[in-house]
Amino acid sequence: MQIEVEKKKHNRRYKGPPKFYPKRFKGERLKWQGCWPYALNAKYPYFALVGDFIGKRRKYNATNQELIETIIEEGEYFGLEIKQVSEDYITSKGEYLIYLRRCVHSGYYHFLRKDANGYWSHKHPGQAPEMVNFKKDHYVSKENPYFVGFLFSVKEKDR
């Protein structure tokens, strides 16, 4: 199922890492946006899963590999270069990080992003974005049998 929406309606003004700006989500305009468009800093007013923008919706039964490949492919749709990186990766100018946290048993996934202020934030549908203590509440260690985590760098594609 592809969401029929013009690319320009996503209103991505990419100037480097996104700023944490929860007031932008007040009212009905962006209230129901979920974590995926929020991680990409796309002003999309509806809930969307990975792959919705390119017609390859990845629900919770998708494999990790399918999900990662679709994240990278959908980034291209937005004019972004998204690549999977290691935990010790250092971002360059105009680049930021997003983190995919996934439950091993249910397949449920959630995105967080590292904002320009250096803190992590996320967004749930129907709520304003909130800053989080990434290491304490969301980071998944390699020893955790219930969750897996994947880190990605995001930057505007070279034209």
Side-chain angles (χ1 to χ4, degrees):
M1 172 191 107
Q2 184 167 2
I3 297 174
E4 296 296 327
V5 64
E6 295 177 37
K7 192 173 185 177
K8 65 182 178 184
K9 292 207 177 192
H10 301 307
N11 199 12
R12 269 194 102 270
R13 289 192 186 119
Y14 190 85
K15 302 268 190 227
K19 293 182 178 166
F20 181 69
Y21 187 49
K23 289 181 182 175
R24 182 172 90 178
F25 296 86
K26 286 198 174 190
E28 291 299 313
R29 190 166 162 261
L30 294 172
K31 180 179 179 181
W32 295 106
Q33 181 184 61
C35 62
W36 174 234
Y38 179 76
L40 296 177
N41 200 31
K43 295 178 185 175
Y44 185 67
Y46 308 105
F47 178 79
L49 290 175
V50 171
D52 277 349
F53 300 106
I54 59 172
K56 294 182 179 181
R57 178 175 252 207
R58 297 299 181 206
K59 294 183 180 179
Y60 303 134
N61 60 352
T63 66
N64 290 337
Q65 191 59 35
E66 288 172 333
L67 195 57
I68 291 168
E69 287 171 0
T70 308
I71 288 167
I72 293 167
E73 188 178 347
E74 199 156 50
E76 291 176 13
Y77 169 82
F78 284 102
L80 299 172
E81 182 181 321
I82 300 177
K83 62 182 179 183
Q84 191 174 358
V85 296
S86 64
E87 293 178 25
D88 56 352
Y89 183 80
I90 298 170
T91 58
S92 58
K93 186 175 180 175
E95 188 175 29
Y96 70 99
L97 299 174
I98 59 174
Y99 187 76
L100 167 64
R101 182 177 193 239
R102 187 160 201 213
C103 178
V104 172
H105 300 295
S106 70
Y108 171 81
Y109 58 86
H110 187 66
F111 287 92
L112 297 99
R113 74 177 194 203
K114 193 170 187 179
D115 297 314
N117 61 10
Y119 293 101
W120 289 87
S121 66
H122 68 150
K123 182 173 183 333
H124 290 287
Q127 300 175 8
E130 61 182 1
M131 284 189 188
V132 295
N133 184 333
F134 175 68
K135 285 289 187 184
K136 181 181 176 197
D137 298 326
H138 295 278
Y139 173 74
V140 179
S141 67
K142 293 188 186 333
E143 298 82 37
N144 189 326
Y146 303 108
F147 291 92
V148 291
F150 304 97
L151 193 64
F152 299 89
S153 71
V154 180
K155 69 177 183 177
E156 192 166 16
K157 253 187 161 181
D158 297 329
R159 299 191 187 242

